[in-house]
Amino acid sequence: MKISALMTSAGINIGICVLLWSLYSVLRKQPAFVRVYFGRRIAEENRLLREAFILERFVPSTGWIVKALQCTEEELLAAAGLDAVAFNRMLVFSIRIFSLAAILCLFGILPVHYFGRKMHRLEISSEQLHMFTVGNVEVQSRWLWVHSIVLYIISGVACFLLYVEYRHIARLRLIHLKRATVNPGQFTVLVRGIPKTTNESCSTDVDDFFTKYHPSSYLFHQVVYKAGKVQKIITGAKKACGMSDPSTDTTLDQSCEAITYPCSLCGASSDSFRLLPTAEVAKNIDNEECAAAFVFFKTRYGALVASEALQTSNPTNWVTDLAPEPDDVYWSNIWLPYKQLWIRRIATVLGSLVFLVSFLLPVAFIQGLSRLDQLQKKLPFLDGLLKKPYMSQIITGYLPSVILLLFLYTVSPIMIRFSTMEGPTSHSERKKSACSKVLYFYIWNVFFVSLASGAVISQLSPSSSTKDIAVRLAHVIPEQTTFFITYVLTSGWASLSSELMQLFGLIYNFIIKYVLRMKEDIAFVPTFPYHTEIPKVMLFGLLGFSCSVLAPLILPFLLVYFFLGYVVYRNQVREKLETASRILIIPWQLLCCILFS
């Protein structure tokens, strides 16, 4: 890939970013989109002001950027919770370490790469990108000590900064726990795997068990019931009646006689459809007792001891965990049998692996697009089109990363579905599980498979020895890192603009208001998609640590991404979230392992 192709991709993405950021600064001022870009509280506060016709509403502005930068950490903690602060500190850490890496690599390593071989120099725009990678350095060069020193400096500073950030987050977490108000969730334990007996009900078994083994701290309990299908239909019907005519409080007359309706086919009467009386409907509503219950204790210490202790010798019976917060409970999975969870987890792991392997084909195809010589050989009918300079620049510099980005949009919904099938009892656990799956998917398919496909596969043969494989990989991997530069442009800069614009929210808002003619759900509070954004930031951190010495040109583009992300994410959590989020706490240990693996 030539520098001109990289500049073409950069120009396209810069234009897209400027366009989307300008549109956002205009759309966020419009009354029709106020609930798309703001939380309920901010929307209500600014409703009267936004309903007035003001010319300023139609002029792009940068005031929101200034407000996002001026937002303090205390305000961020009060508005969006500790998770948002931890996520923001990840961006701060990335800006600090890659600023240092950019200075050292661009001024220390990049000249060594460019002048690594004695050859005829072209204009910078006509040079190939591999001229600026470690692949252009001669074997056993006497300048390789520069790479070693820079690598040790970056690694040492990164370890120190990670220690500082981890200590800061730990201190904030302790302060948050001290300041947190007492809530019933801290005294509650979720019990699953309750063994069923033939003579006693589940409620009686729970009461007897905790009265016997936790007599001093046990207070009372509530068994979880699984509502039957009839109950769900009745609940839906009540909601429909309330939406159709909320001003009246009329009920159906259940005392009338059975009504018969003529058959639409033969005209004969039939009693297949009858209006059932209330007593008969109540018999069809089957509230089954699930093998799960919420147990309440008198003290937090008693609840903690009960949640951590092994209740019986059988680890699948009387399984206790601290209960999720009331708004965090994922009720659809509470009733799942505990002994069934290990089967679900194995099935989701296998499904994730199959989905991960299925992405090998599109990734290999995308890597072929990034190499013009291979593309001309495999698709000769495009020879005339590829000879045009601007077309070759777009195809090799912009198209591969765009195609990969479109494929990756399907990853997060599928992984969140897999995580739901595992049987987590809270939304937090579901998002944490999806976050790990998406991260592993990105590392394998975007990083390792991109390195091992394309040019790497073409250089290997069945007769290659182990030594030949290592030497050939050392030659071609630096060339493959140039693909990551275009990936940062497209998946980094453009995806941040998409997150800022809330394209899916805009489309959903348009369909609800103007197509379906439905009222807005004013009680809905948007949540930040941690399971999609955290893996992106970690992946770009991995690319920065892995490619900073091999291809230093990636660092300026990464720095721009982290600066843009710092502004965009602070704006999103400041304006959209209204209450402290659940304590997921970003796994900094996982971040350390990923960055230094």
Side-chain angles (χ1 to χ4, degrees), residues 93 100 121 145 173 180 188 247 278 300 347 366 391 410 428 453 479 524 533 538 592:
F93 162 79
L100 174 65
R121 307 293 173 186
W145 61 269
R173 188 172 189 272
T188 311
S247 61
T278 306
R300 294 173 62 178
I366 291 166
M391 288 302 301
T410 62
S428 301
S453 61
E479 297 182 7
F524 173 73
E533 304 307 316
M538 287 189 172
C592 301

Side-chain angles (χ1 to χ4, degrees), residues 167-473:
R167 184 177 63 179
H168 181 69
I169 293 298
R171 183 179 61 84
L172 287 179
R173 188 172 189 272
L174 289 176
I175 295 175
H176 175 78
L177 292 176
K178 289 180 179 178
R179 294 177 179 176
T181 58
V182 178
N183 61 79
Q186 299 170 349
F187 298 82
T188 311
V189 170
L190 175 62
V191 183
R192 289 181 294 171
I194 302 173
K196 294 184 178 180
T197 59
T198 56
N199 298 327
E200 302 290 342
S201 64
C202 182
S203 179
T204 304
D205 291 338
V206 173
D207 188 73
D208 293 341
F209 181 86
F210 284 94
T211 302
K212 179 179 180 180
Y213 293 103
H214 302 273
S216 60
S217 58
Y218 170 66
L219 186 60
F220 65 96
H221 71 277
Q222 174 61 56
V223 176
V224 179
Y225 292 92
K226 177 184 174 183
K229 294 183 179 180
V230 177
Q231 177 65 53
K232 294 180 180 179
I233 295 174
I234 292 177
T235 303
K238 289 181 178 178
K239 290 182 179 180
C241 291
M243 293 175 61
S244 61
D245 191 7
S247 61
T248 60
D249 186 16
T250 59
T251 57
L252 295 175
D253 184 10
Q254 301 287 354
S255 61
C256 60
E257 298 293 335
I259 304 175
T260 59
Y261 299 95
C263 178
S264 58
L265 297 178
C266 59
S269 62
S270 172
D271 60 351
S272 300
F273 305 97
R274 296 182 299 112
L275 186 62
L276 299 178
T278 306
E280 191 169 348
V281 173
K283 295 179 182 179
N284 291 281
I285 301 177
D286 54 337
N287 286 327
E288 299 181 12
E289 282 186 335
C290 302
F294 290 99
V295 181
F296 303 91
F297 291 82
K298 300 176 183 177
T299 62
R300 294 173 62 178
Y301 178 77
L304 183 62
V305 170
S307 65
E308 297 293 335
L310 184 64
Q311 304 298 329
T312 62
S313 59
N314 187 348
T316 60
N317 289 339
W318 298 102
V319 181
T320 55
D321 296 290
L322 283 176
E325 296 180 8
D327 60 339
D328 192 26
V329 177
Y330 195 75
W331 294 102
S332 300
N333 287 342
I334 293 290
W335 60 270
L336 294 177
Y338 186 79
K339 295 181 180 180
Q340 187 188 99
L341 296 183
W342 69 273
I343 302 177
R344 286 174 166 266
R345 287 168 184 167
I346 293 176
T348 53
V349 169
L350 294 177
S352 301
L353 290 176
V354 171
F355 180 65
L356 186 144
V357 173
S358 65
F359 251 75
L360 294 178
L361 185 60
V363 171
F365 169 74
I366 291 166
Q367 284 298 317
L369 289 178
S370 62
R371 294 181 60 85
L372 192 60
D373 53 348
Q374 292 187 7
L375 197 60
Q376 290 175 339
K377 293 179 181 178
K378 296 179 180 179
L379 302 175
F381 60 89
L382 296 177
D383 189 40
L385 185 64
L386 295 176
K387 287 182 179 180
K388 299 179 180 180
Y390 64 92
M391 288 302 301
S392 63
Q393 292 173 6
I394 292 176
I395 291 176
T396 60
Y398 184 70
L399 191 60
S401 53
V402 171
I403 296 176
L404 181 60
L405 180 62
L406 294 178
F407 276 107
L408 291 178
Y409 271 124
T410 62
V411 175
S412 297
I414 294 177
M415 291 305 180
I416 196 72
R417 184 60 181 172
F418 281 148
S419 299
T420 304
M421 292 172 59
E422 284 184 350
T425 57
S426 66
H427 295 279
S428 301
E429 293 178 3
R430 189 170 64 112
K431 286 192 175 183
K432 287 172 67 176
S433 177
C435 179
S436 300
K437 290 182 176 62
V438 174
L439 177 61
Y440 297 145
F441 183 92
Y442 281 172
I443 292 175
W444 171 251
N445 274 293
V446 178
F447 186 73
F448 288 110
V449 175
S450 295
L451 288 178
S453 61
V456 177
I457 295 175
S458 65
Q459 291 289 329
L460 301 180
S461 62
S463 60
S464 300
S465 62
T466 306
K467 184 177 179 180
D468 293 336
I469 292 175
V471 173
R472 293 183 180 183
L473 287 177

